[in-house]
């Protein structure tokens, strides 16, 4: 699969990273980059989980009452 076949977000830092040529990086530099990106993914997933939990709590708090 070529890099051109991968989906790319537009207009943000991720799309800039996706367009950057990787040919000039050593194997160690590539693995360092992978580690940094994995750490960023973990940070984003943790934030997403926190926001999802807050949304779940808010939905439960403001849920319409069922008629008795």
């Amino acid at each position: 699969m070529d890099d051109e076949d991968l989906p790319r977000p537009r207009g943000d830092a991720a799309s800039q990273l996706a367009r950057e040529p990787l040919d000039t990086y050593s194997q160690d530099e590539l693995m360092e980059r992978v580690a940094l990106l994995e750490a960023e993914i973990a940070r984003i997933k943790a934030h997403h989980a926190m926001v999802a939990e807050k949304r779940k709590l808010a939905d439960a708090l403001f849920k319409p009452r069922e008629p008795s």
Side-chain angles (χ1 to χ4, degrees), residues 2-46:
D2 291 336
D3 285 346
E4 293 129 19
D5 297 335
L6 298 173
R8 292 198 184 7
R10 304 206 186 280
D12 59 13
S15 64
Q16 291 174 0
L17 283 173
R19 287 192 301 266
E20 185 179 352
L22 301 175
D23 299 344
T24 60
Y25 289 96
S26 70
Q27 287 182 331
D28 289 341
E29 290 170 328
L30 288 170
M31 292 314 297
E32 182 180 328
R33 183 177 175 141
V34 167
L36 289 170
L37 291 170
E38 287 174 341
E40 178 62 5
I41 290 168
R43 185 179 77 90
I44 292 168
K45 285 182 176 183

Side-chain angles (χ1 to χ4, degrees), residues 46-64:
H47 183 76
H48 178 271
M50 179 187 67
V51 170
E53 183 62 26
K54 286 181 181 179
R55 174 64 187 255
K56 184 175 133 184
L57 293 171
D59 287 346
L61 181 63
F62 294 106
K63 183 170 120 179

